[in-house]
Amino acid sequence: MRTLSARILLGFMALTLAFGGITINIVINQRTLAGYVGTLNTGLLPVAETTKDLARREEELRQFLADGFDKDATVETAKLRLDGFRQRRDKEVAALQKFVSEYSDIEALDRKHSLRNSIDTIQQQVELLKPRYDGLELALRQSESVANDSVNAGLAPLRDGERALASLTNDLANKIQNRVKTGLEDLQKGEKESLGITILLGAVAVALGLMMTTWVVITLRPLRRLQNAARLVASGDYGSRIEERGPAEVADLARELNTMARAVEERERELVRSERLAAVGKMAAMITHEVRNPLSSIGLNTELLDDELGDASQEARNLCRAIHREVDRLTAITEEYLTFARLPKPKIQPEAINPMVGALAAFVRGDLAAKKVDLAVELGEPDPIALVDAGQIRQCLINLVRNASEALSTKGGGTVTLRTRRSGDRITIAVEDNGVGIPADVLPRLFDPFFSTKEGGSGLGLALTQQIVKDHGGDLSVESTAGKGTTFTVSVPAKP
Ligand SMILES: Nc1ncnc2c1ncn2[C@@H]1O[C@H](COP(=O)(O)OP(=O)(O)O)[C@@H](O)[C@H]1O
Ligand SMILES: [Mg+2]
């Protein structure tokens, strides 16, 4: 889960699932309520209506029987009226039966079969009373008037029977009425609950959405860091670096930006260096023209003057020598500039390194000894052969040894070690000293032209050395510990 895209994908998946769940829940609630309303509308309410009709018809029949036949009525009309009441009641019973047996979702309507049982009981009672009605009808047919004893005798059990039936139908009507009432109440409750759940889930979804948004904002915040860093680099501040942490893509991008800043910084330094080198070239041309020739004639004339003075005045001769020393120093510096300006392309050829280093050591040993600096030489075996311009590499080594001895003389002496070695397709020549070392903040500027910590130093030695080594397709590196010493290593191509 380290990558930004995976995190965001997961977040949106969670959000989508949540919304899906909420929608399904709402639909299910809706369907349940709709089912409820359906049962109520097409089942319970019509049954309640029919049962109420039945109860009314039953009550009419019961009342008719309780009142007895009209005394003035003929047997015919009495029979007709009785039949009318009975038929109307029977029609309602049949309607009820039909509805219950045909209703599609009877399970939902009459789960415990209590409705059906009640209707069956009523039907049975109606059937039971049928023979008695037949008896009454016979009595009516056989008598001339309705006020006959056998007619009255036939009426009595029917009154009892229909009274019982009236009470049964009333009970049923009340029962169904109650069910309609509780059904409506349930519906209201269900609707309220469903509304509550919908509001709750909606709130959860909104909260989830807000959380997700906040989370995405927080996750994307490191991008701002990168943006600011890129802006800094663009404005020329190549030194600042970004922390390489956060989600994988951000860390990668930070690393890339840092690499880019480092490269730009290095390029910038390189540019400054080469600009300065160009300046050195121009200056050298000028110096050759305006300074070098007068300087050599000043030197020559001072020498002549010194000879001319003879033993005359020691004081004057000392002055002459002081002038000569300064002229020598100036000449040395102008020579350094000139080497730079006229640095020719190296004439590369196979060169045995050990003899070259040995000869160099012999050449500088005397000078170094005068400054209390020992010189040690460790030559690698077998004698490494390099592809170099011997004269130029010798110049480089002289520069490095001079710097080393200068670093040593500031602390009163020490040892310079020259070490040759072959490693793979490279040959390295190390110049090591146990002098003052180089502070870490100075290291990056070491090879800049004109950079010097010495009074009267040209700051060109290392710049020149690096230029030469680079022209050889080689590399000049430095390792230093302040207070302990420094090692410069020249690495050049070996002869295959
Ligand atoms: N071996 C060394 N030990 C300590 N510092 C050194 C050494 N070599 C070079 N340096 C530092 O690098 C600087 C640049 O050297 P260089 O380019 O030869 O110029 P210069 O010798 O004229 O100062 C020196 O001024 C010195 O501070
Ligand atoms: Mg130097």
Side-chain angles (χ1 to χ4, degrees), residues 34-62:
Y36 233 55
V37 172
T39 313
L40 206 63
N41 245 347
T42 60
L44 213 48
L45 285 178
V47 167
E49 202 55 40
T50 318
T51 320
K52 221 164 34 184
D53 287 347
L54 171 63
R56 202 166 52 238
R57 296 298 178 212
E58 188 59 57
E59 177 57 24
E60 283 169 5
L61 179 56
R62 186 198 66 75

Side-chain angles (χ1 to χ4, degrees), residues 308-314 317:
E308 209 59 39
L309 283 170
D311 297 329
S313 159
Q314 193 58 36
R317 292 194 66 179

